[in-house]
Amino acid sequence: MIKLEKITLQGFKSFKRPTSIVFPANFVVITGPNGSGKSNLADGVIFVLGKASSKYLRAKKASDLIFHGSKKKPPSDYAKVSLVFSNEKKILPVDGEKITVARRLNKDGVSTYKLNGKITTRQQILDIFMQARINPGGHNIILQGDVAKIIEMNPLERREIIDEISGIKEYDEKKMQALKELEKVAEKVREAEIILEQKEEIIEKLKKERDVALEYQSLQNELEAIKAAIIWKEFSSVQKNMGNIGKHIEEKETEVKTLQRKVEEIDKKMAEKEDELENLMKDVMKASDQIEIMKKISKIESSIDSKESMIKANEREIQRLEELINNMLNMDRKVKPELEPILNMKGVHGFVKDLIIVPNEYKVAVDVAGGNHLNDIVVDNIQTTVTCIKYLKENKIGRARFLPMDKIRPSPKQELPEGTLGWLSELVHHDVKYTSIIEYILGRTACVHDIDKAKKIADKHRIRLVTLDGDLFEPSGAVTGGYYTKSKMSPEIKRYREEREKLEEENRLLKLEIEELEEQLKKLNKEVRVFKSFDIEKKRGEIKHELEKLGSERKKVYEKMLTLQEEVNKLKINRAKHEANFDNLKIQWDSLKKEWDKVKNKEFYEKRGIHWLKERQKEILTRISELGHVNMKAIEEFEILKEEFEEFRERVEKITQEKDSIIKSITEIENKKREVFMTTLNEMSKIFKEIYNELTGGEGSLGLEDPEDLNSGLLISAQPPGKKLRYIDVLSGGERVMAALSFLFTIQRYKPSPFYVLDEIDAALDKVNTRKVIDLIKKQSKDVQFIIISHNTEMVKAADVVYGVSMEDGESKIIGIKMPEK
């Protein structure tokens, strides 16, 4: 335990010259009359211990602490106080068994601290003394009026003393810091929750767009799979059909060859009969001048019959070739494969060129006048048009012109000028329901024979005219003309046309020859005389009958052969169609094969028929149209935003956890604070009870106004002997002093200090109570040091060492008083 051994004052308050007091015993009393300056000794101790504010030293300002002089004594330039402590047990962290701490204050208010003669700082001094529970504001120094302050305090102020002693201020500071942190974190949580809510709204909206995009993506994938499945099925079907058609063609051609041989055999027999008939006529008419005439007549008749038969055969062949050519031409009108889904849509009727039948002589005129309009697509209504155009855009196929039947209205026609062949719309054939469309395209164009005729009409009328060979006169005066060539025809069409033209020319020549032969026959019939010979006529009739029979048989065989040839040609046309379709499908299949290979559920589509696939295709196209605008970026954006959202939510959760942790920490601080406070209060209440009993013989206790509320006031209860237990505020004057002193002694015992300075604590006590206080001090002075400032005779008598303080010429002086032996 450290001990205050000596105090030296110079220029401090009323002590002008250096004045020292040693404290050889644990019970030292300093006495003197009022105003002698004895309390300045207590102020000097506090001054050295580091009290910063002068008001606690009973001075208005720092300069008031310096001796201000008197009539005979000049003022001091500074105030200086030093304390010497014993430190044998090294309680203070300073080298040496003796420690000298000094403080010097000049007139400028500047303080200087020294430790063992070396300058140091106030904080270092405070830190050193804290090791021995010594501080300038501690309860080991009780100044004048402190007892009265205890009495006058309200319960809340008294409880603050317990707060200080228990050290819960540390917990309050921690709690305050935690509350500040909680406020900041709570604000972060509120802001984060607002942002989180906004992000949730955004991500929910984006999720809907993502779901639409995924559905669109799925529909597109299924659409590609269905397209590939349809092409695969059609490709396989065409490949199989081509094999079957080839086989049928071979069989039919074999039959045709057989019939050709039979025709040749009949022709041979007919030639033999004709030779027989000619020989008969030669034998009969050798002697007659009619022989030559009859011979000529017979030959002419035979020639006429033969030529007429050839004409009929040629006409049938011409008709067959015409059908072949038309079919081949229709085949050349290929549809772009990517437009096939559109042609299969509900409400789509097809291209204009496929909805009309054009006579051969008007084909060129219609091609020129119709132009690109012949490739327009006819649909039911404007809604179908919109659906088709959306499909073209979404699949990036291209563009097309659509003619909705509910919107197209042709303009009124002019009067048809003389010399024209008619309006083109009336020269072609079509279903009556397409009248408005055909009138829109061809209804205001008149057809004329040639360019000269067109010029004459154009000079008089402002009308659109087209010639049979493709010259076009516009109402504006513009004329387009020249040699018109259609797109390059296939070798087969060219060959069929050449054959047709050859046959037409052959028939023309045959008809001219027949006309000449008929003229010759008329002349010969006039010259011939009747030749009567029954046998010859009979024989001649038989031969003619056989020739007719053979001719009839030849006709049947030939017609059957023509029928078979026509079937062969149709099969070839069909095969050509299949070949063209095959080539088209093969190109499509080659482009779709890789996509088809990627399809996972091929078996599902392979088991479905083409009709089902096309219906499903329509459903998908309809659904895609219903989806409207699709934000495909939403898929990727959603994943990115979702990841950011999850990261942000984790941050919010961490902040929330931090908030909960702070709240938990505050609760723990409160619980620990309560535990420490109540431990201190209960222990002090026990000590108070003991001390109060020692001083008065009565009962006392300490407690809170509300035991559940640490912030409620502290109640000091006392029950002097023979009286009721009452609070300190309602006790008598002496009783209150004893209760207050008991409380102060309780504080000192709970947190003991090496020394105590008590300034006139007995001023309000009577002798009896003074004696009780003295007894308590003497008892405790065995272990600790008491320096008591008092002018109470009983206190002075009881002290081990007594110093007297007197005032001379405004300066305090110390006088040692030797007390009589006890």
Side-chain angles (χ1 to χ4, degrees), residues 284-285 288 290 294 529-533 536-537:
V284 173
M285 300 181 68
S288 173
Q290 298 289 308
M294 292 301 292
R529 294 191 301 271
V530 179
F531 182 77
K532 297 180 180 180
S533 175
I536 291 174
E537 285 296 324

Side-chain angles (χ1 to χ4, degrees), residues 34 71 101 177 370 419 483 522 743 769:
N34 291 332
K71 292 180 179 179
V101 180
Q177 184 64 32
Y483 178 69
K522 285 180 183 179
F743 181 67
N769 286 329

Side-chain angles (χ1 to χ4, degrees), residues 139-167:
H139 295 283
N140 62 318
I141 299 175
I142 300 176
L143 302 177
Q144 290 183 34
D146 283 354
V147 175
K149 286 180 182 177
I150 295 294
I151 295 171
E152 293 168 0
M153 282 181 179
N154 61 44
L156 290 177
E157 291 172 332
R158 292 183 192 124
R159 193 217 64 230
E160 288 174 357
I161 296 175
I162 306 297
D163 290 348
E164 178 190 347
I165 293 170
S166 64

Side-chain angles (χ1 to χ4, degrees), residues 534-738:
F534 179 74
D535 292 334
I536 291 174
E537 285 296 324
K538 183 180 178 183
K539 182 68 175 175
R540 185 171 175 268
E542 289 175 357
I543 292 172
K544 279 209 165 218
H545 177 69
E546 289 180 9
L547 282 170
E548 288 175 0
K549 185 177 178 183
L550 286 170
S552 176
E553 184 181 357
R554 184 188 186 281
K555 181 180 177 183
K556 289 180 181 179
V557 174
Y558 188 78
E559 287 179 350
K560 185 176 181 181
M561 183 184 72
L562 288 177
T563 301
L564 283 172
Q565 283 180 334
E566 187 174 348
E567 290 178 3
V568 169
N569 288 330
K570 287 181 178 179
L571 286 171
K572 285 182 178 180
I573 290 170
N574 196 14
R575 182 174 65 181
K577 287 181 179 179
H578 278 75
E579 285 174 350
N581 198 20
F582 178 80
D583 292 339
N584 184 25
L585 290 171
K586 189 174 187 307
I587 292 170
Q588 294 182 65
W589 174 242
D590 288 342
S591 66
L592 292 171
K593 191 173 185 303
K594 289 183 180 179
E595 293 297 325
W596 178 247
D597 291 338
K598 295 178 185 177
V599 177
K600 295 180 179 179
N601 52 340
K602 290 190 185 70
E603 293 182 0
F604 174 80
Y605 296 107
E606 288 171 351
K607 291 178 182 179
R608 298 294 184 272
I610 289 181
H611 176 73
W612 185 91
L613 292 171
K614 289 187 175 180
E615 286 299 316
R616 178 57 184 157
Q617 188 180 46
K618 290 180 183 177
E619 291 174 5
I620 292 173
L621 290 172
T622 301
R623 179 55 184 157
I624 288 175
S625 177
E626 290 172 353
L627 289 177
H629 174 69
V630 179
N631 178 16
M632 295 304 295
K633 291 182 180 179
I635 298 174
E636 182 181 354
E637 289 174 352
F638 175 78
E639 294 303 324
I640 294 172
L641 189 61
K642 183 182 178 184
E643 185 177 348
E644 293 176 355
F645 175 78
E646 292 299 330
E647 290 178 359
F648 186 78
R649 185 161 62 183
E650 287 178 7
R651 291 203 299 272
V652 173
E653 288 175 356
K654 286 181 181 178
I655 296 172
T656 304
Q657 289 172 1
E658 183 181 352
K659 175 186 173 184
D660 295 340
S661 176
I662 293 172
I663 293 173
K664 182 180 177 183
S665 175
I666 291 172
T667 303
E668 291 174 353
I669 290 170
E670 278 293 313
N671 292 336
K672 187 65 179 176
K673 171 185 173 182
R674 181 177 184 81
E675 180 185 347
V676 170
F677 180 86
M678 292 307 297
T679 299
T680 301
L681 178 63
N682 292 335
E683 185 64 27
M684 287 185 67
S685 181
K686 188 187 296 183
I687 295 171
F688 178 78
K689 183 177 181 181
E690 292 173 358
I691 291 176
Y692 187 75
N693 183 261
E694 288 180 29
L695 288 176
T696 66
E699 296 291 329
S701 66
L702 302 178
L704 293 175
E705 289 178 313
D706 181 357
E708 300 300 321
D709 184 7
L710 294 187
N711 295 318
S712 61
L714 177 69
L715 298 176
I716 300 176
S717 303
Q719 184 179 7
K723 295 185 179 181
K724 292 182 179 179
L725 181 67
R726 291 181 294 177
Y727 297 133
I728 189 173
D729 301 317
V730 295
L731 294 174
S732 65
E735 291 172 339
R736 280 188 291 176
V737 170
M738 292 301 286

Side-chain angles (χ1 to χ4, degrees), residues 355-356 405 425 428-439:
L355 303 178
I356 58 175
M405 294 167 64
S425 60
V428 298
H429 307 294
H430 57 81
D431 193 311
V432 68
K433 64 183 177 182
Y434 302 126
T435 299
S436 62
I437 300 297
I438 306 307
E439 287 292 338

Side-chain angles (χ1 to χ4, degrees), residues 8 112 169 416 626 628:
T8 301
T112 303
K169 184 178 180 182
L416 186 66
E626 290 172 353

